[in-house]
């Protein structure tokens, strides 16, 4: 029961769409499992003691999050770590430093992990081996900058990371510097509409209605054969988004799910749409 309860708590925390407080987790889990809140509180403390979860503090409120106070592997090649922790990277590994903060994107959420796994796969499959011109990347809704930083470290020469939230722009700029990528990754609050570049690799971890609304613009901003990674939604939104982007001339090349969350990888103008 003890481990079962810990699993329920852990999943409740990492599957939440927003930051959760210890109190809200206690309440939800106690109600779902039909047990006393104090039992849940003790199990939360165990998980923190075991280094699985950690307490974070923001604007006077405590939150409970998956612990990233240690290096965590999130895909075949990508390891995310806090800047103050040392990590000896193995050959081929890509290490992304993300400072603790308020922006979304410390790697704990399945939507971020799915997008990172998709980037790792498409940028590692020799698709661009013969390419003579530099790859241009775009991260729409960059949060901490994690996807933009990973794209750059996986070989995208120039990356633009946009976010409409000023706190995210500031944190992402800091994380880009921490990773020594200030010359390669530009973080800005410029809107998608205003960008004048065409992109080869685009990643967008955004809510379903936003991804739906942005479909014509995203299509317009992409190079022919460019690859688009969409994350941030569940079924049945996935079906509708697949259809929406197919109508914009994209072909589906990969689909992956993680705890109900779905990630679609699409290619603009892939063979069946030419
Ligand atoms: C779910 S978070 C993703 C963060 C990070 N890219 C990741 O994958 O973990 C979505 C981010 O998109 C930003 N955002 C939402 N709508 C946007 C839009 N239309 N244009 C740019 N950024 C947007 C939010 O401020 C937030 O930082």
């Amino acid at each position: 029961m003890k481990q079962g309860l810990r699993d329920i708590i852990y999943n409740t925390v990492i599957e939440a769409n927003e930051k959760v407080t210890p109190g809200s987790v206690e309440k939800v889990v106690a109600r779902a499992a039909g047990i006393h809140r104090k039992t849940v509180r003790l199990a939360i403390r165990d998980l923190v003691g075991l280094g699985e979860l950690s307490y974070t503090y923001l604007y006077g409120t405590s939150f409970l999050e998956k612990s990233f106070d240690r290096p965590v592997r999130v895909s075949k090649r990508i390891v995310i770590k806090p800047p103050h922790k040392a990590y000896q990277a193995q050959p081929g590994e890509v290490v992304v430093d993300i400072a603790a903060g308020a922006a979304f994107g410390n790697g704990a959420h399945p939507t971020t992990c799915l997008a990172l796994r998709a980037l790792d796969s498409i940028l590692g499959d020799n698709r661009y081996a013969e390419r003579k011109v530099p790859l241009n990347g775009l991260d729409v809704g960059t949060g901490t900058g994690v996807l933009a930083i990973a794209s750059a470290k996986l070989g995208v020469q120039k990356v633009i990371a946009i976010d409409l939230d000023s706190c995210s722009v500031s944190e992402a700029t800091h994380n880009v510097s921490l990773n020594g990528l200030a010359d390669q990754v530009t973080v800005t609050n410029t809107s998608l509409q205003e960008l004048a570049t065409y992109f080869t690799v685009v990643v967008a971890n955004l809510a379903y209605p936003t991804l739906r609304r942005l479909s014509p613009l995203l299509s317009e901003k992409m190079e022919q054969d460019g690859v688009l990674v969409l994350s941030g939604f569940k079924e049945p939104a996935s079906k509708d988004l697949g259809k929406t982007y197919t109508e914009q001339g994209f072909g589906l090349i990969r689909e992956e799910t993680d705890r109900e969350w779905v990630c679609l990888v699409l290619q603009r103008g892939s063979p069946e749409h030419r």
Side-chain angles (χ1 to χ4, degrees):
M1 172 63 190
K2 213 170 177 188
Q3 188 54 46
L5 177 58
R6 285 187 198 144
D7 289 345
I8 295 171
I9 295 168
Y10 184 78
N11 288 333
T12 304
V13 172
I14 66 167
E15 286 173 13
N17 286 325
E18 304 171 330
K19 285 176 180 280
V20 289
T21 64
S24 66
V25 174
E26 262 176 50
K27 197 168 153 187
V28 168
V29 173
R31 191 181 300 153
I35 54 177
H36 201 277
R37 277 182 70 154
K38 192 174 169 210
T39 312
V40 182
R41 194 174 312 142
L42 291 174
I44 290 175
R45 281 186 202 155
D46 284 351
L47 281 162
V48 173
L50 289 165
E52 298 288 320
L53 296 178
S54 62
Y55 296 114
T56 55
Y57 303 93
L58 184 70
Y59 306 129
T61 306
S62 302
F63 294 95
L64 201 54
E65 294 187 274
K66 178 176 176 177
S67 177
F68 268 72
D69 197 32
R70 57 193 168 130
V72 177
R73 175 176 301 285
V74 289
S75 73
K76 199 167 145 211
R77 287 184 290 168
I78 304 170
V79 172
I80 297 182
K81 74 170 191 69
H84 61 277
K85 291 273 165 150
Y87 179 75
Q88 187 61 51
Q90 298 304 306
E93 272 187 344
V94 163
V95 181
V96 176
D97 275 30
I98 297 293
F104 190 108
N106 65 0
H109 201 270
T111 59
T112 310
C113 290
L114 282 166
L116 287 167
R117 291 209 287 268
L119 285 172
D120 190 342
S121 166
I122 57 177
L123 292 167
D125 66 5
N126 281 335
R127 176 183 308 265
Y128 300 112
E130 304 290 313
R131 193 181 158 98
K132 303 278 184 294
V133 286
L135 296 175
N136 276 324
L138 171 67
D139 176 11
V140 188
T142 199
T144 57
V146 61
L147 305 180
I149 294 165
S151 302
K153 291 197 170 186
L154 288 165
V156 182
Q157 284 88 352
K158 283 280 170 200
V159 183
I160 296 182
I162 63 171
D163 205 296
L164 43 72
D165 170 48
S166 58
C167 163
S168 296
V169 169
S170 150
E171 288 191 23
T173 305
H174 177 62
N175 284 321
V176 166
S177 294
L178 276 177
N179 285 277
L181 293 170
D183 292 342
Q184 213 176 322
V185 181
T186 305
V187 185
T188 169
N189 64 358
T190 308
S191 71
L192 181 57
Q193 196 143 17
E194 290 169 284
L195 296 176
T197 315
Y198 291 103
F199 299 95
T200 336
V201 179
V202 177
V203 61
N205 178 5
L206 295 164
Y208 161 57
T210 313
L211 289 174
R212 200 170 200 287
R213 179 170 52 79
L214 292 181
S215 65
L217 255 186
L218 279 173
S219 173
E220 190 188 307
K221 301 290 174 188
M222 292 195 60
E223 287 177 5
Q224 189 70 9
D225 290 337
V227 173
L228 172 65
V229 177
L230 298 180
S231 191
F233 48 88
K234 297 180 177 180
E235 290 289 1
S238 166
K239 279 210 172 47
D240 182 56
L241 280 176
K243 186 166 169 286
T244 303
Y245 278 81
T246 304
E247 284 164 8
Q248 293 293 337
F250 287 87
L252 182 68
I253 55 174
R254 177 188 155 112
E255 179 170 2
E256 210 191 317
T257 54
D258 183 351
R259 284 161 275 157
E260 296 179 46
W261 294 96
V262 186
C263 179
L264 300 179
V265 181
L266 303 125
Q267 187 162 23
R268 186 167 181 272
S270 47
E272 65 268 35
H273 297 283
R274 281 187 198 131

